[in-house]
Amino acid sequence: MTSPSPLILPFEGKTPQIDDSAFIAPGAVIIGDVTIGPEASVWYACVLRGDTNAIKVGARSNIQDGTIIHVDAPDHGGTPVLIGTNVLVGHKCMLHGCTVEDEGFVGMGATMLDGSTVQTGAFLAAGAFLGPKKTVPSGEMWGGLPARKLRNLKGMEDKMAAMGAAHYVEEARRHMTALAEAAE
């Protein structure tokens, strides 16, 4: 049995740059000016389309199943998507021309628009809609439609992304092994 592969395509002279230790799941689509760092993971049914600007995913960050990431064209303000290290992006998120700083957390089904930012250790709750140029400050949890501050983070909540990132590094290794065995 052979395992399907991810679809990794160049676009207008830009080819995705993916670290050898990163996990890209079968069925993921990665196009153009996309950089994926060491031990990062892009899961099943994700689309990262770096056709009009850059997408950068830092070390040990994970982009979970069904997430779509796109960029803002330079002639529209030129905002790339920048995802730091140890970032957790939940299932079925929509990220467009935004930034998630190191150890930021984006909950399942959340949307971030052009120029928005989740700062280091901040938390955007599941289903939240973070509008253009809005910022979730470090130490805060935002949620709702539109997103607004819900509360300050408590205890170790600001470390949830880093802990989740470590889990996903191990989970990616398990999937790489299982897919390699299935291909034999």
Side-chain angles (χ1 to χ4, degrees):
M1 175 179 179
T2 60
S3 176
S5 298
L7 185 58
I8 300 171
L9 300 170
F11 185 82
E12 295 182 346
K14 302 274 185 171
T15 301
Q17 303 298 307
I18 301 168
D19 189 271
D20 290 340
S21 65
F23 170 66
I24 311 300
V29 179
I30 300 175
I31 302 167
D33 192 1
V34 178
T35 303
I36 299 174
E39 298 184 304
S41 56
V42 177
W43 291 84
Y44 305 93
C46 289
V47 176
L48 282 67
R49 183 162 57 101
D51 55 354
T52 59
N53 212 320
I55 296 170
K56 296 184 181 188
V57 178
R60 296 172 307 285
S61 292
N62 63 86
I63 311 302
Q64 296 173 21
D65 312 68
T67 292
I68 297 173
I69 300 177
H70 192 233
V71 291
D72 192 19
D75 57 348
H76 291 120
T79 51
V81 173
L82 304 174
I83 296 172
T85 61
N86 295 318
V87 168
L88 198 106
V89 176
H91 307 286
K92 203 176 165 196
C93 291
M94 177 78 65
L95 305 182
H96 195 275
C98 59
T99 299
V100 183
E101 294 178 357
D102 298 346
E103 300 184 8
F105 191 114
V106 180
M108 289 188 270
T111 298
M112 294 178 66
L113 294 184
D114 301 340
S116 65
T117 301
V118 171
Q119 290 185 338
T120 299
F123 195 118
L124 182 63
F129 180 88
L130 190 62
K133 299 181 182 175
K134 299 291 183 188
T135 297
V136 179
S138 295
E140 293 184 6
M141 177 187 289
W142 282 36
L145 182 67
R148 65 197 181 293
K149 182 179 178 179
L150 299 177
R151 63 179 174 80
N152 290 329
L153 296 176
K154 301 180 247 183
M156 295 292 290
E157 286 179 328
D158 63 338
K159 302 297 180 205
M160 286 178 66
M163 292 183 292
H167 164 76
Y168 268 89
V169 167
E170 291 306 314
E171 192 72 8
R173 288 184 183 130
R174 290 180 54 227
H175 280 255
M176 284 189 273
T177 299
L179 291 168
E181 289 171 359
E184 293 176 354

PDB file of all heavy atoms in Angstrom, residues 19-40:
ATOM      1  N   ASP A  19      11.780  22.352   6.274  1.00  0.00           N
ATOM      2  CA  ASP A  19      12.842  21.669   7.003  1.00  0.00           C
ATOM      3  C   ASP A  19      12.623  20.155   6.946  1.00  0.00           C
ATOM      4  O   ASP A  19      11.486  19.680   7.013  1.00  0.00           O
ATOM      5  CB  ASP A  19      12.868  22.142   8.456  1.00  0.00           C
ATOM      6  CG  ASP A  19      14.090  21.626   9.189  1.00  0.00           C
ATOM      7  OD1 ASP A  19      14.006  20.516   9.759  1.00  0.00           O
ATOM      8  OD2 ASP A  19      15.111  22.320   9.168  1.00  0.00           O
ATOM      9  N   ASP A  20      13.719  19.419   6.844  1.00  0.00           N
ATOM     10  CA  ASP A  20      13.637  17.958   6.745  1.00  0.00           C
ATOM     11  C   ASP A  20      12.950  17.310   7.945  1.00  0.00           C
ATOM     12  O   ASP A  20      12.395  16.224   7.827  1.00  0.00           O
ATOM     13  CB  ASP A  20      15.034  17.349   6.581  1.00  0.00           C
ATOM     14  CG  ASP A  20      15.651  17.650   5.227  1.00  0.00           C
ATOM     15  OD1 ASP A  20      14.903  17.987   4.275  1.00  0.00           O
ATOM     16  OD2 ASP A  20      16.885  17.554   5.106  1.00  0.00           O
ATOM     17  N   SER A  21      12.985  17.954   9.097  1.00  0.00           N
ATOM     18  CA  SER A  21      12.375  17.368  10.293  1.00  0.00           C
ATOM     19  C   SER A  21      10.903  17.731  10.458  1.00  0.00           C
ATOM     20  O   SER A  21      10.234  17.258  11.378  1.00  0.00           O
ATOM     21  CB  SER A  21      13.148  17.785  11.541  1.00  0.00           C
ATOM     22  OG  SER A  21      13.042  19.193  11.731  1.00  0.00           O
ATOM     23  N   ALA A  22      10.364  18.563   9.562  1.00  0.00           N
ATOM     24  CA  ALA A  22       8.955  18.954   9.642  1.00  0.00           C
ATOM     25  C   ALA A  22       8.064  17.829   9.122  1.00  0.00           C
ATOM     26  O   ALA A  22       8.477  17.029   8.278  1.00  0.00           O
ATOM     27  CB  ALA A  22       8.717  20.224   8.840  1.00  0.00           C
ATOM     28  N   PHE A  23       6.851  17.768   9.627  1.00  0.00           N
ATOM     29  CA  PHE A  23       5.862  16.800   9.155  1.00  0.00           C
ATOM     30  C   PHE A  23       4.806  17.525   8.348  1.00  0.00           C
ATOM     31  O   PHE A  23       4.161  18.457   8.844  1.00  0.00           O
ATOM     32  CB  PHE A  23       5.196  16.090  10.337  1.00  0.00           C
ATOM     33  CG  PHE A  23       4.003  15.251   9.944  1.00  0.00           C
ATOM     34  CD1 PHE A  23       4.179  14.128   9.151  1.00  0.00           C
ATOM     35  CD2 PHE A  23       2.731  15.581  10.368  1.00  0.00           C
ATOM     36  CE1 PHE A  23       3.085  13.335   8.790  1.00  0.00           C
ATOM     37  CE2 PHE A  23       1.635  14.795  10.017  1.00  0.00           C
ATOM     38  CZ  PHE A  23       1.809  13.675   9.222  1.00  0.00           C
ATOM     39  N   ILE A  24       4.643  17.097   7.093  1.00  0.00           N
ATOM     40  CA  ILE A  24       3.597  17.620   6.232  1.00  0.00           C
ATOM     41  C   ILE A  24       2.689  16.440   5.905  1.00  0.00           C
ATOM     42  O   ILE A  24       3.102  15.497   5.221  1.00  0.00           O
ATOM     43  CB  ILE A  24       4.163  18.249   4.936  1.00  0.00           C
ATOM     44  CG1 ILE A  24       5.308  19.222   5.250  1.00  0.00           C
ATOM     45  CG2 ILE A  24       3.029  18.923   4.152  1.00  0.00           C
ATOM     46  CD1 ILE A  24       4.956  20.388   6.141  1.00  0.00           C
ATOM     47  N   ALA A  25       1.466  16.465   6.383  1.00  0.00           N
ATOM     48  CA  ALA A  25       0.551  15.335   6.238  1.00  0.00           C
ATOM     49  C   ALA A  25       0.086  15.170   4.797  1.00  0.00           C
ATOM     50  O   ALA A  25      -0.031  16.153   4.048  1.00  0.00           O
ATOM     51  CB  ALA A  25      -0.665  15.539   7.144  1.00  0.00           C
ATOM     52  N   PRO A  26      -0.194  13.931   4.416  1.00  0.00           N
ATOM     53  CA  PRO A  26      -0.824  13.701   3.116  1.00  0.00           C
ATOM     54  C   PRO A  26      -2.114  14.516   3.023  1.00  0.00           C
ATOM     55  O   PRO A  26      -2.851  14.645   4.001  1.00  0.00           O
ATOM     56  CB  PRO A  26      -1.133  12.204   3.133  1.00  0.00           C
ATOM     57  CG  PRO A  26      -0.159  11.622   4.101  1.00  0.00           C
ATOM     58  CD  PRO A  26       0.033  12.693   5.156  1.00  0.00           C
ATOM     59  N   GLY A  27      -2.343  15.089   1.872  1.00  0.00           N
ATOM     60  CA  GLY A  27      -3.538  15.894   1.668  1.00  0.00           C
ATOM     61  C   GLY A  27      -3.351  17.365   1.975  1.00  0.00           C
ATOM     62  O   GLY A  27      -4.202  18.177   1.625  1.00  0.00           O
ATOM     63  N   ALA A  28      -2.244  17.734   2.605  1.00  0.00           N
ATOM     64  CA  ALA A  28      -1.954  19.155   2.816  1.00  0.00           C
ATOM     65  C   ALA A  28      -1.501  19.756   1.491  1.00  0.00           C
ATOM     66  O   ALA A  28      -0.902  19.073   0.658  1.00  0.00           O
ATOM     67  CB  ALA A  28      -0.871  19.330   3.869  1.00  0.00           C
ATOM     68  N   VAL A  29      -1.776  21.038   1.294  1.00  0.00           N
ATOM     69  CA  VAL A  29      -1.384  21.747   0.080  1.00  0.00           C
ATOM     70  C   VAL A  29      -0.540  22.951   0.497  1.00  0.00           C
ATOM     71  O   VAL A  29      -0.993  23.785   1.283  1.00  0.00           O
ATOM     72  CB  VAL A  29      -2.617  22.214  -0.726  1.00  0.00           C
ATOM     73  CG1 VAL A  29      -2.194  22.966  -1.977  1.00  0.00           C
ATOM     74  CG2 VAL A  29      -3.513  21.029  -1.075  1.00  0.00           C
ATOM     75  N   ILE A  30       0.679  23.021  -0.036  1.00  0.00           N
ATOM     76  CA  ILE A  30       1.596  24.108   0.299  1.00  0.00           C
ATOM     77  C   ILE A  30       2.098  24.695  -1.019  1.00  0.00           C
ATOM     78  O   ILE A  30       2.699  23.992  -1.832  1.00  0.00           O
ATOM     79  CB  ILE A  30       2.756  23.601   1.173  1.00  0.00           C
ATOM     80  CG1 ILE A  30       2.185  23.005   2.461  1.00  0.00           C
ATOM     81  CG2 ILE A  30       3.730  24.729   1.473  1.00  0.00           C
ATOM     82  CD1 ILE A  30       3.188  22.359   3.360  1.00  0.00           C
ATOM     83  N   ILE A  31       1.847  25.979  -1.207  1.00  0.00           N
ATOM     84  CA  ILE A  31       2.106  26.619  -2.494  1.00  0.00           C
ATOM     85  C   ILE A  31       2.928  27.882  -2.305  1.00  0.00           C
ATOM     86  O   ILE A  31       2.600  28.740  -1.483  1.00  0.00           O
ATOM     87  CB  ILE A  31       0.779  26.998  -3.187  1.00  0.00           C
ATOM     88  CG1 ILE A  31      -0.089  25.745  -3.390  1.00  0.00           C
ATOM     89  CG2 ILE A  31       1.018  27.707  -4.514  1.00  0.00           C
ATOM     90  CD1 ILE A  31      -1.517  26.048  -3.773  1.00  0.00           C
ATOM     91  N   GLY A  32       4.007  28.017  -3.101  1.00  0.00           N
ATOM     92  CA  GLY A  32       4.729  29.272  -3.237  1.00  0.00           C
ATOM     93  C   GLY A  32       5.684  29.610  -2.119  1.00  0.00           C
ATOM     94  O   GLY A  32       6.447  28.770  -1.638  1.00  0.00           O
ATOM     95  N   ASP A  33       5.643  30.864  -1.691  1.00  0.00           N
ATOM     96  CA  ASP A  33       6.609  31.437  -0.754  1.00  0.00           C
ATOM     97  C   ASP A  33       6.243  31.052   0.683  1.00  0.00           C
ATOM     98  O   ASP A  33       5.715  31.850   1.459  1.00  0.00           O
ATOM     99  CB  ASP A  33       6.632  32.958  -0.923  1.00  0.00           C
ATOM    100  CG  ASP A  33       7.795  33.614  -0.203  1.00  0.00           C
ATOM    101  OD1 ASP A  33       8.607  32.902   0.417  1.00  0.00           O
ATOM    102  OD2 ASP A  33       7.873  34.857  -0.263  1.00  0.00           O
ATOM    103  N   VAL A  34       6.517  29.778   1.017  1.00  0.00           N
ATOM    104  CA  VAL A  34       6.187  29.235   2.327  1.00  0.00           C
ATOM    105  C   VAL A  34       7.455  28.631   2.926  1.00  0.00           C
ATOM    106  O   VAL A  34       8.156  27.880   2.256  1.00  0.00           O
ATOM    107  CB  VAL A  34       5.096  28.146   2.229  1.00  0.00           C
ATOM    108  CG1 VAL A  34       4.794  27.553   3.597  1.00  0.00           C
ATOM    109  CG2 VAL A  34       3.826  28.704   1.589  1.00  0.00           C
ATOM    110  N   THR A  35       7.739  28.970   4.175  1.00  0.00           N
ATOM    111  CA  THR A  35       8.869  28.403   4.903  1.00  0.00           C
ATOM    112  C   THR A  35       8.323  27.710   6.145  1.00  0.00           C
ATOM    113  O   THR A  35       7.557  28.310   6.905  1.00  0.00           O
ATOM    114  CB  THR A  35       9.862  29.509   5.321  1.00  0.00           C
ATOM    115  OG1 THR A  35      10.292  30.212   4.155  1.00  0.00           O
ATOM    116  CG2 THR A  35      11.065  28.918   6.040  1.00  0.00           C
ATOM    117  N   ILE A  36       8.734  26.454   6.333  1.00  0.00           N
ATOM    118  CA  ILE A  36       8.281  25.680   7.486  1.00  0.00           C
ATOM    119  C   ILE A  36       9.515  25.211   8.247  1.00  0.00           C
ATOM    120  O   ILE A  36      10.380  24.540   7.694  1.00  0.00           O
ATOM    121  CB  ILE A  36       7.392  24.504   7.053  1.00  0.00           C
ATOM    122  CG1 ILE A  36       6.161  25.076   6.327  1.00  0.00           C
ATOM    123  CG2 ILE A  36       6.997  23.650   8.251  1.00  0.00           C
ATOM    124  CD1 ILE A  36       5.266  24.063   5.714  1.00  0.00           C
ATOM    125  N   GLY A  37       9.587  25.567   9.520  1.00  0.00           N
ATOM    126  CA  GLY A  37      10.768  25.339  10.349  1.00  0.00           C
ATOM    127  C   GLY A  37      10.881  23.944  10.918  1.00  0.00           C
ATOM    128  O   GLY A  37      10.002  23.093  10.741  1.00  0.00           O
ATOM    129  N   PRO A  38      11.982  23.711  11.640  1.00  0.00           N
ATOM    130  CA  PRO A  38      12.274  22.395  12.226  1.00  0.00           C
ATOM    131  C   PRO A  38      11.175  21.914  13.169  1.00  0.00           C
ATOM    132  O   PRO A  38      10.658  22.679  13.972  1.00  0.00           O
ATOM    133  CB  PRO A  38      13.579  22.617  12.998  1.00  0.00           C
ATOM    134  CG  PRO A  38      14.162  23.866  12.444  1.00  0.00           C
ATOM    135  CD  PRO A  38      13.023  24.694  11.942  1.00  0.00           C
ATOM    136  N   GLU A  39      10.831  20.646  13.026  1.00  0.00           N
ATOM    137  CA  GLU A  39       9.859  19.950  13.870  1.00  0.00           C
ATOM    138  C   GLU A  39       8.476  20.593  13.864  1.00  0.00           C
ATOM    139  O   GLU A  39       7.636  20.288  14.714  1.00  0.00           O
ATOM    140  CB  GLU A  39      10.376  19.788  15.297  1.00  0.00           C
ATOM    141  CG  GLU A  39      11.632  18.964  15.395  1.00  0.00           C
ATOM    142  CD  GLU A  39      12.081  18.741  16.813  1.00  0.00           C
ATOM    143  OE1 GLU A  39      12.275  19.751  17.538  1.00  0.00           O
ATOM    144  OE2 GLU A  39      12.241  17.569  17.192  1.00  0.00           O
ATOM    145  N   ALA A  40       8.218  21.466  12.903  1.00  0.00           N
ATOM    146  CA  ALA A  40       6.875  22.021  12.734  1.00  0.00           C
ATOM    147  C   ALA A  40       6.004  20.953  12.076  1.00  0.00           C
ATOM    148  O   ALA A  40       6.511  19.980  11.511  1.00  0.00           O
ATOM    149  CB  ALA A  40       6.924  23.281  11.880  1.00  0.00           C
TER     150      ALA A  40
END
